[in-house]
Amino acid sequence: IGSIGKSFTALALMREHEAGHLDLQAPVARYLPWFAVRSAFPPITVHHLLSHTAGIIAGTDPTPGVAYQVRALRETEAATAPGTGFHYSNVGYKALGLVLERLTGQGYGDAIRSRVLAPLGMTASEPAITNALRPRLAVGYASLYDDRPAHPSHSLVPATWLETESGDGSIASTPEDMAAYLRMLLNRGRGARERLLSDAGFAAMTRRIVAIG
């Protein structure tokens, strides 16, 4: 499912916003006091991270822990003023996953299960990819060689395995469950069992922020 998981994080946070627990325009540091990026610009808000407009252009992925990756941002510099430009950011959504944990008092996986998967009846889905889950997952493959361009003559081997439970994408699912998620999006926040977002909340989650191109 990959980075479609970012939309799960956004949806869960929008539900927290509609419940009155999250100010989208508040600095991220209100919820993660240790969050910092070297910057001469105004503070990065939750909304900036949600819309990939925080000015963050650096980040790491396969490291020991999500919190470490987000804390490492204090050694980077913002490239643009928040809200003025788009730059896709995995680490920005990892930070949002930590904000969700702080708001709910739950681990990321439990927060996603209770706020997205369970309300939509996505009982075959998992919000975190773990070693225990591995026997249930399709096997991914990669080229035998990682030191040269890929070529059809190269053999394929099982891809590198990585456990992950973070806001930038750690959902494991099935076509049937993802169809339930898609129906909710097509119905503008209304699931088969309950409405996850109001019309206004869904409009806020999906509106254009910065023109691209």
Side-chain angles (χ1 to χ4, degrees):
I1 306 304
S3 285
I4 294 173
K6 289 181 175 65
S7 68
F8 285 66
T9 301
L11 177 60
L13 286 170
M14 288 301 297
R15 298 199 74 187
E16 290 300 304
H17 170 66
E18 293 208 317
H21 303 150
L22 174 66
D23 181 352
L24 299 179
Q25 304 304 327
V28 178
R30 175 184 297 184
Y31 305 101
L32 302 176
W34 47 266
F35 178 86
V37 177
R38 295 176 182 173
S39 175
F41 306 117
I44 293 171
T45 67
V46 173
H47 182 264
H48 293 140
L49 293 183
L50 283 166
S51 56
H52 296 280
T53 60
I56 295 172
I57 61 171
T60 54
D61 275 320
T63 57
V66 174
Y68 171 84
Q69 296 171 42
V70 178
R71 284 180 182 273
L73 287 174
R74 64 183 58 244
E75 303 301 326
T76 69
E77 293 191 17
T80 58
T84 62
F86 176 91
H87 192 281
Y88 191 87
S89 176
N90 281 328
V91 72
Y93 263 76
K94 289 174 197 253
L96 290 170
L98 297 178
V99 170
L100 181 62
E101 291 184 345
R102 181 69 179 269
L103 289 171
T104 63
Q106 297 176 295
Y108 176 79
D110 289 336
I112 292 297
R113 189 184 300 281
S114 62
R115 285 155 181 79
V116 181
L117 302 185
L120 292 176
M122 297 176 65
T123 57
S125 301
E126 297 291 341
I129 296 174
T130 65
N131 284 324
L133 182 64
R134 192 173 185 181
R136 294 173 53 195
L137 299 180
V139 177
Y141 290 88
S143 174
L144 173 63
Y145 306 104
D146 62 1
D147 61 348
R148 67 200 71 177
H151 188 273
S153 65
H154 297 167
S155 299
L156 296 178
V157 295
T160 301
W161 175 255
L162 180 68
E163 285 193 297
T164 179
E165 183 179 358
S166 59
D168 63 326
S170 62
I171 307 295
S173 191
T174 65
E176 183 177 4
D177 270 16
M178 289 304 293
Y181 186 69
L182 179 58
R183 284 193 294 271
M184 179 275 297
L185 294 176
L186 290 172
N187 286 308
R188 301 184 62 80
R190 188 176 67 252
R193 300 180 178 184
E194 63 181 273
R195 176 175 283 278
L196 274 67
L197 285 180
S198 68
D199 285 337
F202 187 83
M205 178 173 147
T206 56
R207 71 185 176 92
R208 177 178 293 185
I209 304 300
V210 174
I212 302 173

